[in-house]
Amino acid sequence: MVPLPARRALLAAALGPAGRGRLPRHHAPAAAARPFSGAGGQEEAEGASRATAMLRHLLLKLRATGPVTVAEYMREALTNPGQGYYTRRGGIGESGDFVTSPEISQVFGELIGIWYISEWIAMGKPKAFQLVELGPGRGTLTDDILRVFKQLASLLSKCDVSIHLVEVSPKLSEIQALMLTGGKVQSNPEDDSAYMKGVSKTGIPISWYRDIQDVPPGYSFYLAHEFFDALPIHKFQKTEKGWREVLVDIDPDVPDQLRFVLSPSSTPATENFVQPEETRDHVEVCPEAGVIIQRLACRIEKDGGAALVADYGHDGTKTDTFRGFRNHKLHDVLKAPGTADLTADVDFGYLRKMAQGRTATLGPIKQREFLKNMGIDLRLQVLLQNSRDTATHEQLLHSYDMLMNPKKMGDRFNFFALLPHHRLADPDKKHKPESKSPLPPVAGFGELLLK
Ligand code: SAH
């Protein structure tokens, strides 16, 4: 653990002392105005033709093979290599379909950057670490974190830091490359598991991969912000005859329209994914999330590090959360596949279970608690003191409200962490990870910071 005064110093050093003002950001933060403007006419037209292409593809598939699972439908709609939503559009930000915390305020990424530095110190300042982000979107979060690393360059001077981005979308990886390196990247480097490589504007090597398995082993800090909610889910419904899987089929009454149907009998997924002790009558399970958490837990157990997961979700209590977003409005998940973001709440209870005890887990705790513990209030005060114009003041207060208000993102988003057992074990009971002794604090998860 970093002692309290050291933490306070860390925050001040990373974010600039009081009176210094906000760190320069290379692009304007999201404007305060809401509601968001929709996509332009040309984009609408492109969207419509893509919808037709994706729908045509799905109709052909359904005619050939019969109904598909919701997971298969979601995978096609989001990441089909030709027409998937993320492959082609991935509309993050005000002019897109949905906005995320890092896009709302630079403070979000800065505090996450401090979380990693704080854990790096707490774990004895290892000589090297990889920061591995899953689903980096526009690259904003990593950009904000890299600015904190630059600010703390003297602290990190003896540490070999590298960035590893896991991204399936060619379009978004291009946007990330532009944001992080100014576009100076090498595609398909020889003898490398990465599909793209570059160097950040702050001089740190960055590599891109399609799969977490391609990221080289080594001491790593993992980050997944609004990543797990984009992974395909299976949906199950309890009926009088037992559990049935929800499938997607062609509506026989309306041409070129899709509908949900129930499998006539149980499916392999029903057998494997619905727990015998389940008490809900509708369940969503994301096996891909389970596999990725298992991989992260194995890697952390073997090579060290930590994972921070932030997303909307629940602890194994919610039922039907599958939904679509287009132009910042709810969108029918079966309409115009490929043109809307499809998402489902993350089941943190399932993620905890999938870590299979290989690592300790912390959370989920609400975003507003996590950010408060990380010192967001102090940061806001410093930024307000250092800006004189009303528009910036309003923007700062508005973005703080978006992130922290319980009715907005404050209560809806959660933070969850995987950490090596020894990080949390009581020093006197180091070899008894099963010990129920009070946990030494990890930044953000306890009321320990800046009090
Ligand atoms: N973390 C960003 C973006 C969230 S959107 C933010 O908070 O702003 C989800 C991101 O995950 C996108 O970058 C999308 O292209 C990526 N993604 C979706 N499915 C993926 C998969 N199976 N493997 C890797 N990346 C994926």
Side-chain angles (χ1 to χ4, degrees), residues 234-420:
H234 287 267
K235 278 171 92 66
F236 304 101
Q237 178 68 44
K238 196 179 201 170
T239 71
E240 281 169 7
K241 295 184 196 137
W243 284 97
R244 296 290 181 263
E245 181 158 12
V246 178
L247 304 172
V248 175
D249 198 4
I250 301 172
D251 189 331
D253 299 327
V254 190
D256 294 352
Q257 191 161 304
L258 304 173
R259 62 167 187 171
F260 287 120
V261 293
L262 285 185
S263 61
S265 53
S266 67
T267 62
T270 328
E271 306 290 322
N272 285 314
F273 300 137
V274 182
Q275 302 299 316
E277 66 274 15
E278 185 56 64
T279 54
R280 290 168 286 177
D281 58 7
H282 188 98
V283 180
E284 295 170 340
V285 182
C286 182
E288 217 167 289
V291 168
I292 293 176
I293 284 290
Q294 277 177 7
R295 293 205 169 116
L296 297 186
C298 285
R299 290 170 74 115
I300 292 169
E301 185 184 40
K302 188 160 166 282
D303 299 322
L308 193 59
V309 174
D311 225 309
Y312 36 75
H314 56 93
D315 219 344
T317 50
K318 283 201 186 170
T319 53
D320 184 7
T321 72
F322 184 37
R323 59 205 183 278
F325 284 99
R326 189 167 169 192
N327 295 339
H328 303 275
K329 290 198 191 87
L330 275 170
H331 176 92
D332 183 338
V333 287
L334 295 182
K335 286 256 157 67
T339 66
D341 179 39
L342 302 183
T343 172
D345 277 17
V346 173
D347 181 345
F348 288 101
Y350 177 69
L351 299 194
R352 192 184 301 112
K353 202 165 163 189
M354 288 298 120
Q356 294 174 323
R358 289 179 192 281
T359 62
T361 62
L362 282 183
I365 70 161
K366 296 190 184 319
Q367 169 158 306
R368 72 185 155 86
E369 288 169 29
F370 180 88
L371 295 178
K372 212 171 196 60
N373 291 337
M374 289 302 302
I376 191 169
D377 289 332
L378 185 75
R379 180 66 181 142
L380 177 72
Q381 290 314 317
V382 171
L383 293 176
L384 288 172
Q385 276 160 23
N386 287 289
S387 84
R388 268 179 209 97
D389 71 288
T390 337
T392 310
H393 262 234
E394 273 175 16
Q395 195 275 323
L396 286 168
L397 291 169
H398 175 82
S399 54
Y400 176 90
D401 183 59
M402 283 288 282
L403 296 183
M404 297 293 282
N405 189 325
K407 295 203 178 91
K408 295 177 181 168
M409 291 163 130
D411 271 4
R412 215 178 300 152
F413 281 79
N414 297 277
F415 278 75
F416 174 80
L418 302 182
L419 293 143

Side-chain angles (χ1 to χ4, degrees), residues 1-3 7 10 114-126 219 221 300-301 304-307 358-362 374 417-433 437-446 448-449:
M1 175 203 163
V2 188
R7 282 234 172 106
L10 191 62
I114 291 175
W115 191 86
Y116 287 112
I117 297 289
S118 161
E119 277 309 296
W120 174 72
I121 294 172
M123 295 193 202
K125 300 188 186 172
Y219 191 98
F221 290 123
I300 292 169
E301 185 184 40
R358 289 179 192 281
T359 62
T361 62
L362 282 183
M374 289 302 302
L418 302 182
L419 293 143
H421 287 291
H422 63 79
R423 168 71 181 93
L424 298 185
D426 185 298
D428 300 332
K429 301 179 181 171
K430 224 172 207 152
H431 306 296
K432 293 184 192 161
S437 59
L439 305 177
V442 170
F445 288 89
L448 54 122
L449 279 171

Side-chain angles (χ1 to χ4, degrees), residues 79 86 92 100 102 133 135-137 167-169 172 225-227 231:
T79 56
Y86 283 118
I92 306 160
T100 59
E133 186 177 3
E167 176 59 76
V168 280
S169 162
L172 285 173
H225 183 263
E226 285 214 43
F227 168 74
L231 299 181

Side-chain angles (χ1 to χ4, degrees), residues 24-30 92-94 98-113 131 133 135-148 165 167 172-173 175-181 201 208 223 225:
R25 195 181 198 176
H26 305 294
H27 54 281
I92 306 160
E94 282 189 63
F98 61 102
V99 73
T100 59
S101 295
E103 301 295 332
I104 288 170
S105 169
Q106 70 180 76
V107 176
F108 185 82
E110 289 167 1
L111 295 178
I112 289 188
L131 176 68
E133 186 177 3
R138 291 160 39 84
T140 312
L141 188 47
T142 288
D143 197 44
D144 290 338
I145 293 172
L146 280 175
R147 228 178 26 257
V148 169
L165 304 177
E167 176 59 76
L172 285 173
S173 62
I175 295 174
Q176 292 150 18
L178 203 59
M179 162 92 71
L180 298 168
T181 71
K201 290 173 284 186
W208 278 262
L223 173 59
H225 183 263

